Structures are given as C-alpha cells and as structure tokens.
Amino acid sequence: MANTHGHKPSVKIGAGAVVCVEAEIRGDVTIGPRTVIHPKARIVAEGGPIVIGECNLIEEQALIINPKVGEKIDKNSGTMTIGSHNVFEVGCRCEALKVGNNNVVEAKALVGRNTELSNGCIIGADCEITSKETLPENTVIFGQSCNRRVQAERPPPQTLQLDFLMKILPNYHHLKKATKPKADK
C-alpha cells in the first residue's frame, strides 16, 4: 500500500481499552480508553485516519472502514470520527465519516459514507442507510423497508457489558497493548 501521508501508519490504543490480537486494524487508527474490540473485528483506515472515542463496543466481524475514494486524500475531510458509547454489532459495516455518541449499528446493518449518525440513533438489523444526510438524534431505522421513527430516549450505554467483556476477554484471547504516550524531549 502506498503511503500518501508521508508517515508510517500507526495504531494508538488508549488506556483500559481491550483490543484482541485477532482483530484486524490497518492504517492510522486511534482507539479511545475502555473501548472493546472483539476478535475478527476489522478497522481499516485507507482513505484517512479513524479516531474512535471511549467506551465503544466493536463486535466480531464488524467492519469499520474509511475507504479510499479516488486518488486524492484530503487530510481533514477524510478523517472518520466515532464518538463514545457506540455499539457495532456482529457483521455490520460502517463507512460514515461522523458517528456521534450512544448509537447502535445492529447485526449486518450498513451505514454508508455519505450518512452521518448524530446521537442516540439505532440502525436495525440488516438495514442499509446510504443517503446523503445527517440522521436526527434518537432516530431508529428498522424492518425490511428500513422504516424510520424517533424514540423518546437514547439507547442505554452498554456499561455492564463492557465491564464484563473487559474481565472475560483477557482470559481467552491475547490482547494488543495500550500505547504509551511519548515523552517530549
């Protein structure tokens, strides 16, 4: 892969994050504290960096990809930013450049590059959203026809599940170490 940024791609892992070695992480990826990344999850930064906030849950076979679009890579607009307390369930695919907080992308759902998730949105199992829009807060997309509605409250954070996985995953999987901050000279 050609290096267009003039620096070596790097993976930065925040303190307390649980990242299984079997997860595929490529390109410039920053993983926030207390985020859990299951084995066989894929995070691919081809078109620009990916910055993942804290307390996110990325399950098996989920694909978070910042795909390369054309030849030109714009350093600022190409950054994919994922907020905090989001859940990416088994087999989902997310290409959205902006994902807010407290969102759930359910199993086998697809969020396209032109769609932005605000806060508290749920993309239902097997639903696809690729339109150029920012979903309003607390939007739920569900069913075979990808119906929409707005729920009264945000989905609850998966704090208990994250705590459980942080205790259990290290017993059964090798983990990638958190990145130590470099001391300024």
Side-chain angles (χ1 to χ4, degrees), residues 107-144:
K108 302 212 175 193
L110 167 70
V111 181
R113 183 172 184 85
N114 294 320
T115 306
E116 292 183 10
L117 299 182
S118 57
N119 299 307
C121 298
I122 298 175
I123 310 302
D126 212 23
C127 288
E128 292 186 9
I129 176 100
T130 56
S131 52
K132 185 170 180 59
E133 66 176 311
T134 299
L135 291 182
E137 293 207 0
N138 302 337
T139 297
V140 180
I141 296 179
F142 63 97
Q144 284 184 319

Side-chain angles (χ1 to χ4, degrees), residues 61-128:
Q61 297 179 5
L63 172 60
I64 296 174
I65 184 169
N66 189 351
K68 187 174 182 182
V69 180
E71 292 300 310
K72 208 172 178 185
I73 296 177
D74 180 355
K75 199 172 171 185
N76 296 326
S77 67
T79 299
M80 175 186 275
T81 306
I82 296 173
S84 300
H85 299 282
N86 295 294
V87 178
F88 297 88
E89 292 185 359
V90 175
C92 72
R93 179 182 177 108
C94 181
E95 297 180 9
L97 286 179
K98 289 198 171 94
V99 176
N101 302 316
N102 296 94
N103 296 294
V104 178
V105 181
E106 291 186 353
K108 302 212 175 193
L110 167 70
V111 181
R113 183 172 184 85
N114 294 320
T115 306
E116 292 183 10
L117 299 182
S118 57
N119 299 307
C121 298
I122 298 175
I123 310 302
D126 212 23
C127 288
E128 292 186 9

